[in-house]
Amino acid sequence: MSTQKLRIFYIVSLVILVVLAASLIFRPLETGHGYSELQREQLLQTESEWIIQFDILNHEGKRQHYTINVIANGKEHNEEVSIENGRIFSYIHHIRRDTSNNKDAQFVIYAQGKNEPIEQVTYHLK
Amino acid sequence: MQIINKKTLNLLIIVLVLTGLLLGAFAVPTNAGAPDDSYTIERYHSENFSALSTTNIAWQNKTTISFTPPNNAYFLLISDCVIGAEFARDPVQARLFDGSTPYNEIKYTPKLANSESSFTSHRVLSLTADTTYTFNNQFSSVGGDNVSIRDSTLTAIQLSDNITAEHNAIQSTTNTDYTDALTLDFTGDGGDYLIIANADTTNSNNTRETITELYYSTGTASWGENIYSPYIGEDYGNFFIFRKLTAASDAQQFKIRYKASGNTASIRNAHISAIDLDDVSDIQYAESEAVSSNSTLPGVFQDKATLTFSPVAEGNYSISMVSLINQSDTGGEIHSAEITDGVNFDTQIYTPDDVATYIVSSHSDVFSVNNTSHTYKTQFKPVSAGTASMKNSRIIAIRMNTCESYFDSAHTTVSDNFTNLTGTLYFWAQGLSTNTDYKVSYYDHDGDKISSDVDVTSNANGTLATEFDLSTDSGAAPGANWRAAVFTSSASPPTTWDAVSGTTGFIMADRFHVEASAIPEFPDLIAAIAVTGSCFAIYIWMRKRRPAYVYSKT
């Protein structure tokens, strides 16, 4: 590659760097439409219980309120959580074997302002 | 031979630029915070020490405790406060109220503007699982004058036994010899008991006294005699006494007895409870029974009862103190105090209308203490005139349930300091119901709930263990005042820490500190500027250098 072309390439890269630096000040990076995401979903079994856990990641671009609705062992739990943009909430739920009715455990996660749940999972516990 | 050519230089700069951008993308703000001592909040305790005033003749809430027991159980409920008025002779009322029934209720008319009265009440209650119970310390003005309340506490402690007697209806006598108002019989198991006696007493004539005592029938001994004279006839005053019964076996009997010095003595809402101290661990107790007097002016506080102990482990203790106080001069005052490690945690000034009176001076509170020596005292002194006296002074410290954060899963190394993004916090709570489900929620430095552990079960010893992975959320703000909070299974942990204390089902919490990660990182902007500047500096430096050429002769 000739020196002239390298020089041009170098100048262009510096210009890009300056533009990026300026954008950090004047315009935060946007990744497109916001969304929420579940990670690390898992069902663990021990001698005495089942353990269901997952993380909720907020990519909505703003603070988002969620409701975690759980029906297990004949009981219903509702967990309310408010997650800042880019942050994670970790949820763990224990279901004891000695009090279990051996029926399904259902988890539904709603994001406020959205008609459909962001996640709906049914665990068959036996 | 060139040391470096332009092509290589440009590539170097590009690599540096890209590296700088990548570093900026992972920037985390540093935030150094001062480490905090851990503290725990015990089960079902509520307090408000600030002074609250009102001219309202309707009952006003000062302190509220609301909880939902996870199991059917007995609970000891203790309330305490200090009441007074802005001006002399303006009466103030106080009561412990469950929403429908006043448990104890008094009316106090101060002789002088700064004269105050303790008000302490107790009940042993049988409570139902999954039912929410609410109790209030309340006060009101009687005549629309400005009255006040302060140092208000409410504590509920679960018990395994229910040894209590009550007689709430009004009883009266003109007898100048003792008359039984209430009797408690029980069979001791050889262990120690805390005997608590409580009632409202009055006399129909404000120049006469009603004398009330807790009488230990089995030992034929008086455990404290309260002498009360109302400012206005029929105004009820507070009778409250506790004392430790040691190694009680076989049949035991206690009585609340009362008599009149003249006219008609009345008593109502009488309760005696025997609390089996096997229900709670690490009990500490001290007493000073004989009358002590102090007439030296200017008054200097004189110690009466002193309790010194070193807890087996740091945690929360309920500290209760009670004494009977007297001032021999109606123009003088007695100043009584309760001291914690040299610091007053409650003081009260009382001016008598009747020099024969011995009234209750009491206070109850919960303290977070470490495992070093601590000293609690009752004290008194005269103010301006007369002789101040104190007798039957008792102090008891009861360990409450507690929780703590640990470095290790075996819960041997307590830690209040952790590092963000690394390791695991091991949380451990004690003093809970056995084999019962609870919720544990974690709140970060900003007060946001960042994790919940639902239906985690306590073991057969009433201990509860959960873990929190500190690397879960890279965006969590390091700093002070992270918290782990324990709730009943039916509770709804709020989304922010600010709302936790008022949440039904909240039991206790631990505070800890999370420091920033040891690898420093920089904000995006600073990273970009630093890299850009470095690129230019390197470029200029390289431009000033001349490549060395080696010529070879062919």
Side-chain angles (χ1 to χ4, degrees), chain A residues 63 79-80 87 90 92 94, chain B residues 444 449 452-454 473:
Chain A
R63 176 176 282 270
E79 181 87 17
E80 305 289 335
R87 296 286 303 277
S90 178
I92 302 172
H94 301 255
Chain B
D444 69 2
K449 185 172 63 174
S452 280
D453 204 339
V454 176
D473 183 5

Side-chain angles (χ1 to χ4, degrees), chain B residues 42 131 194 197 226 244 296 315 361 378 381 399 419 450 460:
Chain B
E42 64 301 323
T131 300
L194 181 67
N226 165 246
K244 181 181 172 183
T296 303
S361 174
T378 56
K381 67 175 181 180
R399 185 175 174 87
T419 302
I450 58 174

Side-chain angles (χ1 to χ4, degrees), chain A residues 6-7 9-10 17 20 24-25 40 63 75 77 79-81 87-94 96, chain B residues 7 13-14 21 435 437 439 444 448-455 457 472-473 475-476 489 495 532:
Chain A
L6 268 178
R7 184 192 299 272
F9 188 69
Y10 169 70
L17 174 62
L20 286 173
L24 287 174
I25 302 172
R40 297 202 306 169
R63 176 176 282 270
K75 292 195 298 183
H77 293 276
E79 181 87 17
E80 305 289 335
V81 59
R87 296 286 303 277
I88 298 171
F89 175 80
S90 178
Y91 184 82
I92 302 172
H93 197 112
H94 301 255
R96 294 166 55 176
Chain B
K7 175 180 176 181
I13 291 173
I14 292 168
L21 287 173
N435 299 312
D437 292 341
K439 291 181 180 176
D444 69 2
D448 286 327
K449 185 172 63 174
I450 58 174
S451 180
S452 280
D453 204 339
V454 176
D455 278 356
T457 307
T472 301
D473 183 5
S489 176
T495 58
T532 304

Side-chain angles (χ1 to χ4, degrees), chain B residues 402-469:
Chain B
T402 188
C403 54
E404 192 54 88
S405 51
Y406 292 80
F407 261 141
D408 59 317
S409 59
H411 310 114
T412 60
T413 306
V414 173
S415 177
D416 299 326
N417 294 284
F418 297 86
T419 302
N420 196 24
L421 307 180
T422 63
T424 301
L425 180 150
Y426 297 94
F427 177 74
W428 197 43
Q430 306 175 63
L432 299 169
S433 298
T434 60
N435 299 312
T436 301
D437 292 341
Y438 292 91
K439 291 181 180 176
V440 179
S441 290
Y442 294 87
Y443 296 81
D444 69 2
H445 169 69
D446 294 325
D448 286 327
K449 185 172 63 174
I450 58 174
S451 180
S452 280
D453 204 339
V454 176
D455 278 356
V456 56
T457 307
S458 59
N459 65 12
N461 295 321
T463 61
L464 185 74
T466 71
E467 301 174 8
F468 176 64
D469 184 354

Side-chain angles (χ1 to χ4, degrees), chain A residues 2-20:
Chain A
S2 70
T3 302
Q4 183 65 22
K5 288 181 181 178
L6 268 178
R7 184 192 299 272
I8 293 171
F9 188 69
Y10 169 70
I11 293 173
V12 170
S13 66
L14 278 183
V15 170
I16 292 173
L17 174 62
V18 170
V19 169
L20 286 173

Side-chain angles (χ1 to χ4, degrees), chain B residues 170-285:
Chain B
I170 297 173
Q171 303 172 78
S172 299
T173 185
T174 57
N175 201 334
T176 56
D177 294 322
Y178 272 120
T179 301
D180 294 347
L182 179 65
T183 301
L184 173 68
D185 291 292
F186 69 98
T187 300
D189 61 4
D192 297 341
Y193 292 81
L194 181 67
I195 309 300
I196 307 175
N198 216 166
D200 310 331
T201 64
T202 190
N203 195 289
S204 59
N205 189 314
N206 65 348
T207 65
R208 300 294 189 179
E209 300 87 27
T210 291
I211 301 99
T212 311
E213 77 167 359
L214 172 62
Y215 186 69
Y216 182 28
S217 310
T218 308
T220 59
S222 173
W223 275 22
E225 185 178 81
N226 165 246
I227 304 173
Y228 172 70
S229 179
Y231 177 72
I232 298 174
E234 306 293 350
D235 284 353
Y236 280 88
N238 189 209
F239 171 71
F240 178 80
I241 282 183
F242 70 77
R243 195 176 185 189
K244 181 181 172 183
L245 174 66
T246 304
S249 300
D250 303 319
Q252 306 289 329
Q253 185 180 80
F254 285 87
K255 294 183 178 183
I256 293 178
R257 312 196 302 183
Y258 72 117
K259 61 183 178 180
S261 66
N263 291 86
T264 304
S266 296
I267 189 169
R268 68 183 186 191
N269 297 329
H271 283 248
I272 310 175
S273 301
I275 310 302
D276 189 342
L277 294 180
D278 289 339
D279 283 352
V280 292
S281 61
D282 196 16
I283 299 296
Q284 306 291 330
Y285 179 82

Side-chain angles (χ1 to χ4, degrees), chain B residues 19-39:
Chain B
T19 303
L21 287 173
L22 285 172
L23 281 173
F26 289 103
V28 173
T30 58
N31 187 3
D36 288 293
D37 292 334
S38 176
Y39 74 95

